[in-house]
Amino acid sequence: MGETRGLLGPADVRELAARLGIRPTKTLGQNFVIDANTVRRIVRAAGLSEDDAVIEVGPGLGSLTLALLPAARRVVAVEIDPALAAELPATVAAREPDLAERLEVVHADAMKITRVPGPEPTALVANLPYNVAVPVVLHLLAVLPSLRTALVMVQAEVADRMTAAPGSRIYGVPSVKLAWYGEARRAGAVGRAVFWPAPNVDSGLVAFTRRDPPATAASRAEVFAVVDAAFAQRRKTLRAALAGWAGSAPAAEEALRAAGVDPRARGEALDVAAFARIAEYGPSRRGDRFPTP
């Protein structure tokens, strides 16, 4: 095999897939990593400590899993494909027998889990299917508050959107919602040749550090409702875009002015704290903020 620490190479990945009768599918966004240097790089970028409990989504044949096990005290791998979920423990036992007890495989849809077995996870490290990358990250941050850091590999365009700053033309719903939970930044680019099959797009690494959300009386759901409304019609001013959310354009302008936001601005100009201020003057809170004379 020749791979240090039992990591999978191109021939290993293809042999495993052939033995299992697995053909990578676009439906599940399956592109298996075949380059050991790439998984080593991901683990280094994740900055894990020996105390970390890692959740990995979509481990596939185990390329990244094998690199994670020596770097953390525990890895919970969440895999939706039953054949892959069943095979992963055997692959780890064969290649890293001394570390096999650190792994637990959960056969489940990551979008439906609300907890994972064992110690609370502190880090998310994953090569995420392109078609569900943002929803998966946001869902896990919402249901697993113990997650403090993340390092995910996603489509390059998705990475740009996740890390975009206010004022950027690609700043939007993913940027703002991720900013509610913490700080996201680009952590490097990944070429197409490290995957099998090679995708038609480049990939990028996104690093994330959790921090407290903006101080606000509004709930996360209330803030996200404003964000969704603002970017549903991103070419419109906030006065117009938030008319449905507020009940009318005049009501939207009233809420915006009360929050200290120019009604003529567009959603792409606002940071997450500004959206939180607007949410405090939403229709569900109107009686508290704008009492009837």
Side-chain angles (χ1 to χ4, degrees):
M1 297 294 182
E3 295 291 343
T4 61
R5 301 199 65 86
L7 299 181
L8 299 175
D12 302 318
V13 170
R14 290 185 173 89
E15 186 277 329
L16 266 173
R19 180 160 54 81
L20 295 174
I22 290 174
R23 295 181 179 179
T25 68
K26 290 184 177 180
T27 304
L28 295 179
Q30 290 173 326
N31 297 94
F32 299 124
V33 179
I34 58 175
D35 180 61
N37 287 330
T38 296
V39 295
R40 291 191 193 99
R41 176 185 169 200
I42 291 171
V43 173
R44 285 197 304 269
L48 300 173
S49 78
E50 60 185 14
D51 294 326
D52 273 312
V54 176
I55 179 170
E56 181 190 6
V57 174
L61 294 167
S63 297
L64 179 56
T65 313
L66 288 163
L68 286 169
L69 287 169
R73 66 177 172 130
R74 179 176 172 82
V75 175
V76 175
V78 181
E79 176 57 61
I80 194 172
D81 185 303
L84 293 174
E87 182 66 17
L88 185 56
T91 299
V92 170
R95 289 179 166 267
E96 289 284 12
D98 294 340
L99 301 177
E101 73 281 356
R102 297 186 184 184
L103 174 70
E104 179 148 0
V105 179
V106 175
H107 174 216
D109 181 346
M111 284 295 296
K112 296 180 180 179
I113 65 171
T114 57
R115 59 176 299 277
V116 293
E120 293 185 333
T122 56
L124 165 66
V125 185
N127 167 28
L128 291 174
Y130 293 162
N131 53 345
V132 296
V134 171
V136 164
V137 171
L138 292 175
H139 172 71
L140 294 179
L141 288 172
V143 301
L144 300 174
S146 59
L147 286 176
R148 305 310 305 172
T149 65
L151 193 290
V152 295
M153 181 159 58
V154 297
Q155 182 178 338
E157 180 182 348
V158 174
D160 289 339
R161 293 184 182 279
M162 291 172 73
T163 58
S168 166
R169 66 179 181 81
I170 59 172
Y171 180 74
V173 171
S175 326
V176 185
K177 290 186 176 180
L178 196 54
W180 170 269
Y181 295 103
E183 177 187 0
R185 65 188 187 281
R186 285 294 298 263
V190 179
R192 307 177 188 190
V194 305
F195 296 99
W196 173 70
N200 296 323
V201 294
D202 292 324
S203 299
L205 300 178
V206 174
F208 173 85
T209 303
R210 191 189 285 265
R211 56 165 167 68
D212 291 337
T216 177
S219 68
R220 180 181 68 223
E222 289 171 330
V223 176
F224 283 10
V226 179
V227 174
D228 289 336
F231 288 102
Q233 305 175 80
R234 64 181 299 145
R235 292 181 179 273
K236 293 189 175 183
T237 65
L238 286 169
R239 183 184 191 275
L242 297 182
W245 164 80
S248 67
E253 179 169 349
E254 185 178 22
L256 288 161
R257 293 194 182 280
V261 176
D262 185 346
R264 298 168 296 179
R266 289 176 170 79
E268 63 194 40
L270 274 56
D271 63 10
V272 66
F275 282 108
R277 292 199 307 273
I278 297 168
E280 293 186 358
Y281 296 91
S284 64
R285 296 175 171 272
R286 186 162 300 277
D288 295 333
R289 293 295 188 175
F290 302 119
T292 303

